[in-house]
Amino acid sequence: MEKEDLPISVIITNHERKKYVRDAITSVKTSADKAGINVEIILVMDYHDEDIENFASERNVIVIFRPEIELGIKLKAGIERARGKYLCFLDDDDMFHPEKIGEIYRVMNDSGISFYHNAIKEIGEDDTYFSIDFQKVEDGCEKKFDIMKMENSMVGEILRERSDWYLSSMAISSEIAKKYSPIVGKCVKSLDKVIFLIGIAEGKSIVIS
């Protein structure tokens, strides 16, 4: 498969949590199928589990084993393995909305978009949804920021939207992510902020949805 035929790679990081990882994988497959878009799923784990690995293999998920528990090392391994033009990230206890892959492709296929951040909802154990309204953007709306014309007021607005928070809400240009993957691999905390800063390091525009 050529890279141009693979627009999106999703990197799922898994640290000793087995309870939700199948749901995470299934949610990505569901979202990709709904959008009709080719998606590469990469699962980076720090333990071996035959059932999970078989579940992933049956769904054409690439499984990478890294014994280190540090998130940065897992993300670096996923970033360097990924072939997609855009990268999405997903924690093992999170899920993608069925519309997410389609939205990622629609927004980031716009030339110059290097970073994308979407709102989230918390799901309880009983499948009850709770809105987490850090973002001020109304449903269905997007804000686009021209990084090349960054002003102090724009920095404040971007940070108020919490676009530097929550890795599972982020998508980034693969080209930029791969360039800075050695830095990612050295980080042990605040990886969401690191990915955000990488996304605006050399990009032209970012979108908050």
Side-chain angles (χ1 to χ4, degrees):
M1 183 182 295
E2 299 296 329
K3 183 170 181 177
E4 50 266 28
D5 297 327
L6 187 63
I8 297 174
S9 294
V10 179
I11 300 169
I12 303 175
T13 52
N14 185 211
H15 169 56
E16 294 184 352
R17 291 189 292 194
K18 304 179 182 181
K19 186 173 182 180
Y20 305 111
V21 67
R22 292 176 181 82
D23 288 339
I25 292 171
T26 300
S27 74
V28 177
K29 296 287 289 184
T30 299
S31 186
D33 290 345
K34 184 176 179 62
I37 294 174
N38 246 336
V39 171
E40 173 185 62
I41 304 176
I42 301 171
L43 175 63
V44 188
M45 305 170 60
D46 55 24
Y47 64 96
H48 285 292
D49 183 287
E50 186 175 354
D51 290 340
I52 291 176
E53 291 174 49
N54 287 340
F55 180 89
S57 178
E58 290 167 0
R59 288 153 181 80
N60 297 317
V61 175
I62 297 166
V63 179
I64 299 175
F65 174 75
R66 293 298 308 235
E68 303 89 350
I69 65 171
E70 289 82 5
L71 177 59
I73 293 175
K74 293 187 183 71
L75 287 180
K76 178 177 182 289
I79 290 170
E80 292 180 347
R81 175 64 177 80
R83 296 173 295 158
K85 185 177 181 181
Y86 315 115
L87 306 182
C88 300
F89 306 97
L90 185 61
D91 291 339
D92 52 12
D93 61 343
D94 291 336
M95 295 190 296
F96 275 6
H97 188 282
E99 304 288 346
K100 175 160 178 169
I101 293 294
E103 284 298 296
I104 292 289
Y105 183 74
R106 180 185 65 81
V107 171
M108 296 199 72
N109 221 23
D110 179 6
S111 178
I113 303 297
S114 61
F115 177 86
Y116 171 92
H117 188 282
N118 59 260
I120 68 172
K121 287 186 180 293
E122 180 180 355
I123 308 173
E125 292 289 338
D126 59 352
D127 291 336
T128 304
Y129 288 76
F130 304 93
S131 179
I132 301 181
D133 296 322
F134 287 116
Q135 285 79 6
K136 305 300 181 184
V137 184
E138 296 180 1
D139 287 344
C141 296
E142 299 162 358
K143 289 187 178 180
K144 182 176 179 179
F145 297 90
D146 187 345
I147 302 302
M148 305 297 289
K149 301 176 182 178
M150 182 72 77
E151 299 175 354
N152 288 339
S153 59
M154 188 187 300
V155 174
E157 184 175 1
I158 291 171
L159 294 179
R160 281 194 298 273
E161 302 291 356
R162 297 304 305 269
S163 53
D164 62 333
W165 183 82
Y166 209 65
L167 200 61
S168 294
S169 292
M170 297 180 176
I172 188 173
S173 159
S174 177
E175 181 179 4
I176 295 176
K178 287 179 180 294
K179 179 176 180 178
Y180 289 93
S181 66
I183 294 175
V184 172
K186 294 177 182 179
C187 295
V188 296
K189 59 182 179 179
S190 300
L191 267 299
D192 47 3
K193 290 178 173 55
V194 172
I195 294 297
F196 166 72
L197 291 172
I198 288 172
I200 65 173
E202 297 183 25
K204 296 179 181 178
S205 302
I206 69 172
V207 169
I208 301 172
S209 174

